[in-house]
Structure formats: C-alpha cells, structure tokens
Amino acid sequence: MSSLAMNLFSQLPAEPTHEELFPGAILMRGLALDQDREFFAAAEEIMAAAPLHHAVTPTGLPMQVMVTDSGDLRAFNHRWVPERDSGKLWPPIPRILREFAIRCAVRSGFPNFRPDSCHINRYQAGTKLGLHQDRHECDWTQPIVSVSFGLECVFLLGGLNRTDKPKRILLEHGDVIVWGGPSRMRFHGVQPLKPGHHPLTGPYRYNLTFRKIA
Ligand SMILES: O=C(O)CCC(=O)C(=O)O
Ligand SMILES: [Fe+2]
C-alpha cells in the first residue's frame, strides 16, 4: 500500500512525494499543503493589488484563463507591453511565496534559483491552457516552479516538440512541479477544468509559476 493510501486510514498528514517525471522535471505531491492557507492568502494579496484580467494570445485574442503577476521592476520592464498592459507596476512577490519557491527548486536539484516574478493563472470549469513552451525568460538555466491550489486538473507535460505525446499528470491542491535543466523547454498545458468546489478556492484552480524572467 502506498504511504498516501495509508494516510487515508491513519488520518496523518501525507508526506510529500518526490517523483522524477523526466530528468529535470520533478513532481512533489502535497508539498504546499502544510502552509496552504498562508500561501493562498499571499496569492490573494497579489490579486488585490493587481486584479486578475483575461490573458490574451500573442495575436491579441482574449483567452479564458484569468491572469495576474507580481515581481520586481526588472522583470516587469521585461514583460510589459504598452498596448496590452496597464502602466501599473507589479506588486512584489510576497516573501513567504518566494522563499517557498526557492525551497521547491532546491529540493528539485536547482539550488541557484532566484525567481523575480510570480505569475498567477486562475481556471474555472471548462478553462484550458494549450500546449506551449515557457520561453519569455532570459536565462533558461533557471527552472520553472509551479504550485497548484484548489480544483484538480490534468496537466500535460510533453516533449521538446509540440507533437511529442505528453504525459498526463493529475495535479491537486498543494502539488508542486518543477521543470528545468534538460526539461526546461518541454511543451506543457492544462486540459479543460472539470467543475467542482474546493473549500479554499471555491470553483477555481489557481496556479502560481515562479520564474526568473530578467
Ligand atoms: O496552470 C498550470 O499548471 C500551468 C501554467 C503555465 O504553464 C503557464 O502559466 O505558463
Ligand atoms: Fe507554461
């Protein structure tokens, strides 16, 4: 019996997992659970200072996913597009989130991660994110740290070509995925969210990605 299943019976908090999905791509189930309320409250602070808005495709079309950002001035300047964004500066990354993201990277074999931004995606039932690579960052030796809250989703982690068949990974509240090194440019995406209700986030899934952009 797996330790996770045992814990259903013992009612003890589950130990986070450490699963290497590919070289440089690590799934740590439940790693954010211990402090989920504090972390989500910090995400809510970001959203209060920088309200969620619809993401737009590179060609300017509105997407279903709602997004916002936090981070330092250099990262903001690197990503800011006058035609797309308001001129308002990003709020800083809350310290509790930045330090957690660094710990996640260290556990995954990336001890030099220095995130300068935290991007938030909010999904509701039916919202998906197509397969893409994260390529707006300057330094691809720095990994991506992704933390999920609320409703579960099926995360797709593919290869270095868009047509490579992706692995399907169920991501639940508190799960963390880090991808870097040889996995940094893997295509990834999110399948349409199933409707549901989560005690902390209601009808939504939130995903926080920590990056070194500038
Ligand atoms: O929501 C997720 O799990 C992935 C988000 C993502 O890939 C992105 O924002 O670039
Ligand atoms: Fe991405």
Side-chain angles (χ1 to χ4, degrees):
M1 198 186 302
S2 76
S3 62
L4 277 174
M6 287 258 306
N7 286 319
L8 288 178
F9 297 100
S10 64
Q11 300 286 305
L12 290 171
E15 282 298 310
T17 67
H18 189 100
E19 304 166 41
E20 192 180 53
L21 303 168
F22 297 104
I26 313 295
L27 168 62
M28 292 168 291
R29 294 190 187 278
L31 189 59
L33 281 180
D34 269 357
Q35 297 183 80
D36 61 347
R37 284 173 186 280
E38 293 99 305
F39 292 158
F40 190 64
E44 285 184 311
E45 271 172 37
I46 297 174
M47 294 184 277
L52 290 165
H53 49 274
H54 280 283
V56 289
T57 63
T59 54
L61 297 172
M63 293 167 67
Q64 296 167 310
V65 63
M66 304 282 290
V67 295
T68 192
D69 290 279
S70 62
D72 68 23
L73 185 62
R74 266 168 56 86
F76 171 84
N77 284 337
H78 190 77
R79 287 301 287 144
W80 189 64
V81 179
E83 311 81 67
R84 186 190 65 190
D85 304 315
S86 80
K88 208 164 164 256
L89 289 182
W90 292 350
I93 311 176
R95 187 181 177 142
I96 185 175
L97 290 177
R98 186 169 186 277
E99 289 178 352
F100 177 66
I102 290 174
R103 289 202 299 280
C104 293
V106 170
R107 287 175 83 116
S108 308
F110 301 101
N112 300 321
F113 185 45
R114 296 290 174 271
D116 60 12
S117 65
C118 169
H119 173 78
I120 301 182
N121 287 328
R122 189 189 76 181
Y123 303 78
Q124 61 191 57
T127 306
K128 64 176 168 43
L129 188 66
L131 279 181
H132 66 279
Q133 292 170 303
D134 292 347
R135 43 186 324 131
H136 294 298
E137 304 77 20
C138 291
D139 179 357
W140 293 349
T141 69
Q142 295 266 310
I144 304 285
V145 171
S146 152
V147 186
S148 294
F149 296 105
L151 293 183
E152 67 181 38
C153 78
V154 175
F155 181 75
L156 303 172
L157 187 58
L160 301 178
N161 297 301
R162 183 182 293 280
T163 49
D164 295 340
K165 190 168 183 260
K167 276 192 188 175
R168 295 162 50 88
I169 299 141
L170 183 72
L171 284 187
E172 294 176 295
H173 178 70
D175 289 352
V176 175
I177 293 205
V178 176
W179 61 93
S183 285
R184 176 62 178 74
M185 291 322 243
R186 284 188 185 279
F187 277 86
H188 58 278
V190 174
Q191 289 208 328
L193 208 78
K194 290 203 193 116
H197 178 88
H198 188 276
L200 195 56
T201 68
Y204 302 115
R205 168 179 186 260
Y206 292 85
N207 177 260
L208 277 52
T209 46
F210 298 87
R211 308 160 191 242
K212 169 107 170 75
I213 291 183

